[in-house]
Amino acid sequence: MTYESLPVYSPSQINAIVRQILTEALPERLIVRGEIRDWKLHHSGHCYFLLKDQQAVLPAVMWANNFRTVRFRPADGMAVLATGYLDVYVAGGRYQLIVERLEPEGTGALQLAFQQMVAKLKAEGLFDPAKKRPLPRYPMRIGIVTSPSGAALHDICEGIQGRWPVARLLFFPVPVQGEGAAEQIARTIRWINQNKDRFALDLLIVGRGGGSLEDLWTFNEEVLARAIYDSQIPIISAVGHEIDVTVADLVADARASTPAKAGVVAVPDVREVLDQIGHYCSRLTNQMVSRLELAKAQFAAASASEVFTRPLTMIRSREQQIDELSVHLVDTLRSRVRRTVQVLDHYQVFVSRIEPHRLIGRCALAVSEARARASAAIASILAASRCQVEALAGRIQALDPRAVLARGYSITRNAGTGRIIRSIKDVELKDTILTELAGANIIESQVTAKYNQIRSVHGSDKQQGTG
Amino acid sequence: MAQTNNKELGKLSFEQAIEQLRKIVERIEQGQISLEESLQQYEMGMALIKHCRAILQQAEKRIEMVSTDQQGSDQMPSS
């Protein structure tokens, strides 16, 4: 075997062949499930990262134009489904996955982004029911903001015109999907609001027909949600099919589940309104007819009354009434005077019966009787008091010490001190003593001795004393 | 008086007119106004009904006008 027989390739050729083989061997588009590693967002907008499983890594790249459609923020460690194709980077000599679409595994990327957006705007109060503008009951000028190409415009117009041909419809064509669509719709809504005097719209309908979640994404964009929230003109959203709920639906003042249903939400049925007017008309007429009939009947009754038929009779009967009343009045006054005179007579009798002189005599008698009774009472009180005094004087006499003297007792005093002698100690030998007897008789004597009779029985010393 | 009212009627929006009509019907039905006043209100109500019906009929022409307008006469905001 000679090496000369071996074919010679350039690196470019090799890479081209590998690329061809890869392209033939693998499906045109495939999904790789893996975990993001080494995520790098280059300032060019392109993204470079690795998709990894337990054994291996696969280089991946996502170009800026594709990355713009990614609604969530990829990060290292995130489990993802990467949709794209395998290609060879010829200059670098390596193969890599060109990722066109990146979704977090589990929930879809758009679903996640939708949830994140709803949570964010809800926290800011953009869905607050209190902030919703009331819809006009009879909108006369309605603006429709949608795509000129889809069926939505036709559906919305049909829905309105079938019910309420009264409204004038103004159509504002906008793109409803793809890049920049949300911005364009938002700008249109703001522009309509800025020129609201010119358009004089009562109501705006913003919508589009059904489509994939991605197609409907425009109506989940924050920029559009804010324009709807800021609008002074009430807005009805009419996006997609019944089951689709977008951020625009949540922030709008009312939601129609589909463009075709927008009319039911936006406008009344003209037949019902005409019925209502007819109803008002007949109520008014009925009321008026019955009121007029009542008035006619009242007039007939009034004109049939005596006032109109026999006016003089009325006057005569009134005159008669006056006469009767005046007679009655005089009678009444007269009998009242009579009654008063009777009352006065009655009292006069009472007064004449009073007789003052007898009254005085009766009083004088009573006074003298009272006086006699008083002096008798005083005399008896005095007699009783005198008895009491004599009894007391007797008792006092019995207590007089001098009364005892009459029975033989005497009182002895020390002439020097004048004190009554009660003890032997009250006198000294040679003291002069005075002995008082009954009848105020006094004996004056001198103490010659002092002794105690009881003690003298036992003792020898003798002292003379008096007692 | 009814004539000046009629002049002012022309300026009323549909919503204002039908609201006023509703009030008139209620006032007359309550029966607390004089015959003369109810006659005035009745005339007013009839004028409102005429006005409302005229708006609803007039509009059918407007619709057609708008349908032809729709294709291109409305300008887009310049961005």
Side-chain angles (χ1 to χ4, degrees):
Chain A
M1 186 187 257
T2 56
Y3 289 106
E4 289 77 28
S5 63
L6 293 176
V8 176
Y9 296 93
S10 67
S12 302
Q13 283 174 313
I14 292 291
N15 284 354
I17 291 164
V18 171
R19 177 185 232 168
Q20 192 188 345
I21 291 167
L22 280 176
T23 313
E24 282 168 7
L26 290 169
E28 194 184 338
R29 188 164 271 104
L30 50 82
I31 298 172
V32 177
R33 174 189 286 128
E35 197 176 286
I36 294 176
R37 196 167 159 187
D38 294 344
W39 175 266
K40 278 186 205 83
L41 172 59
H42 197 264
H43 61 77
S44 63
H46 305 317
C47 305
Y48 304 93
F49 56 105
L50 299 172
L51 286 169
K52 141 183 196 295
D53 62 18
Q54 283 180 338
Q55 282 85 38
V57 295
L58 173 67
V61 58
M62 192 168 198
W63 308 124
N65 63 320
N66 288 319
F67 182 58
R68 270 199 291 276
T69 68
V70 174
R71 305 294 168 187
F72 71 102
R73 299 277 142 239
D76 279 7
M78 203 177 263
V80 292
L81 294 173
T83 307
Y85 57 94
L86 216 64
D87 198 8
V88 172
Y89 175 44
V90 178
R94 60 173 188 268
Y95 63 91
Q96 56 194 11
L97 184 71
I98 310 299
V99 181
E100 295 168 311
R101 188 176 150 149
L102 196 62
E103 284 181 278
E105 212 185 344
T107 53
L110 291 177
Q111 200 56 44
L112 182 68
F114 173 73
Q115 284 161 7
Q116 286 169 349
M117 183 63 73
V118 166
K120 178 184 175 188
L121 298 181
K122 188 172 188 175
E124 281 188 44
L126 264 70
F127 307 149
D128 187 351
K131 292 285 177 63
K132 300 214 180 288
R133 290 154 292 243
L135 299 184
R137 291 185 66 179
Y138 308 101
M140 292 297 173
R141 293 175 67 82
I142 301 173
I144 300 167
V145 180
T146 189
S147 161
S149 54
L153 175 63
H154 176 259
D155 288 349
I156 292 169
C157 291
E158 285 269 278
I160 294 173
Q161 286 170 338
R163 288 169 60 81
W164 188 241
V166 183
R168 176 162 183 172
L169 305 180
L170 277 77
F171 167 53
F172 300 88
V174 288
V176 292
Q177 67 191 66
E179 212 178 323
E183 285 81 2
Q184 181 68 45
I185 299 172
R187 201 156 50 230
T188 304
I189 290 171
R190 291 189 191 281
W191 175 75
I192 291 168
N193 271 282
Q194 280 153 20
N195 294 280
K196 66 178 193 298
D197 289 344
R198 178 178 145 202
F199 295 121
L201 293 177
D202 302 316
L203 185 64
L204 268 179
I205 298 172
V206 179
R208 59 153 291 150
S212 69
L213 187 51
E214 240 159 41
D215 290 340
L216 302 183
W217 191 258
T218 296
F219 291 84
N220 289 327
E221 299 259 21
E222 186 172 352
V223 62
L224 177 53
R226 292 196 184 281
I228 292 174
Y229 181 77
D230 290 341
S231 173
Q232 290 163 280
I233 304 162
I235 293 184
I236 294 175
S237 72
V239 181
H241 299 299
E242 307 260 354
I243 52 157
D244 300 320
V245 176
T246 62
V247 172
D249 290 327
L250 297 174
V251 74
D253 301 300
R255 178 203 172 207
S257 57
T258 68
K261 297 248 173 78
V264 180
V265 179
V267 294
D269 191 323
V270 72
R271 283 156 296 225
E272 285 171 16
V273 177
L274 281 168
D275 280 353
Q276 182 66 48
I277 292 170
H279 187 55
Y280 282 147
C281 185
S282 54
R283 274 163 75 186
L284 261 183
T285 310
N286 288 343
Q287 276 297 319
M288 216 50 234
V289 165
S290 63
R291 282 208 75 146
L292 283 173
E293 270 168 8
L294 181 68
K296 216 187 283 175
Q298 281 169 340
F299 177 72
S303 54
S305 106
E306 248 184 342
V307 188
F308 298 105
T309 52
R310 285 182 292 170
L312 263 183
T313 317
M314 287 290 290
I315 292 165
R316 293 282 175 262
S317 88
R318 285 299 153 106
E319 281 174 353
Q320 190 180 349
Q321 239 177 333
I322 288 166
D323 290 347
E324 279 170 8
L325 282 174
S326 60
V327 168
H328 180 66
L329 185 67
V330 169
D331 284 354
T332 310
L333 282 174
R334 217 170 258 158
S335 71
R336 189 170 292 176
V337 168
R338 209 176 298 134
R339 262 205 311 281
T340 311
V341 168
Q342 274 172 6
V343 169
L344 286 175
D345 289 349
H346 181 68
Y347 283 122
Q348 196 180 15
V349 172
F350 268 102
V351 171
S352 62
R353 274 185 199 154
I354 289 173
E355 296 178 310
H357 59 282
R358 289 192 186 191
L359 197 64
I360 291 165
R362 275 203 299 279
C363 290
L365 190 65
V367 168
S368 62
E369 270 174 15
R371 189 178 291 152
R373 270 159 62 191
S375 46
I378 289 164
S380 78
I381 289 167
L382 283 175
S385 301
R386 207 172 288 133
C387 281
Q388 242 174 342
V389 169
E390 276 163 13
L392 285 171
R395 279 160 69 187
I396 287 168
Q397 242 171 0
L399 291 173
D400 184 358
R402 281 178 182 81
V404 181
L405 300 184
R407 298 209 306 265
Y409 291 89
S410 64
I411 299 168
T412 307
R413 294 173 196 269
N414 185 324
T417 61
R419 289 220 186 102
I420 292 172
I421 297 164
R422 297 167 198 275
S423 156
I424 203 162
K425 287 169 191 156
D426 289 340
V427 286
E428 300 299 328
L429 289 176
K430 307 266 172 106
D431 276 356
T432 305
I433 57 171
L434 302 170
T435 304
E436 189 182 347
L437 304 171
N441 298 312
I442 304 286
I443 301 167
E444 189 175 326
S445 52
Q446 201 168 42
V447 178
T448 53
K450 296 199 294 181
Y451 57 87
N452 187 302
Q453 278 183 316
I454 300 166
R455 281 177 66 182
S456 71
V457 175
H458 303 291
S460 55
D461 58 323
K462 276 186 182 175
Q463 282 187 325
Q464 191 68 41
T466 52
Chain B
M1 181 167 174
Q3 278 189 336
T4 52
N5 275 339
N6 277 343
K7 265 186 199 168
E8 283 164 15
L9 274 187
K11 295 177 195 161
L12 288 182
S13 74
F14 184 82
E15 185 155 7
Q16 288 167 329
I18 203 161
E19 180 59 19
Q20 208 169 323
L21 177 59
R22 185 183 65 78
K23 282 183 184 158
I24 284 175
V25 171
E26 280 173 7
R27 205 176 306 149
I28 289 191
E29 281 181 343
Q30 278 165 4
Q32 284 168 349
I33 50 173
S34 67
L35 181 66
E36 194 189 351
E37 202 183 335
S38 66
L39 267 168
Q40 273 176 8
Q41 294 284 305
Y42 171 76
E43 269 179 41
M44 182 76 174
M46 283 305 175
L48 284 166
I49 287 169
K50 205 174 143 192
H51 179 61
C52 286
R53 281 179 171 153
I55 290 176
L56 295 185
Q57 277 154 13
Q58 205 180 15
E60 292 189 66
K61 295 173 205 154
R62 279 198 196 170
I63 278 288
E64 305 208 1
M65 238 161 56
V66 172
S67 312
T68 54
D69 269 1
Q70 219 161 260
Q71 288 304 315
S73 65
D74 279 312
Q75 299 142 356
M76 274 305 296
S78 47
S79 44

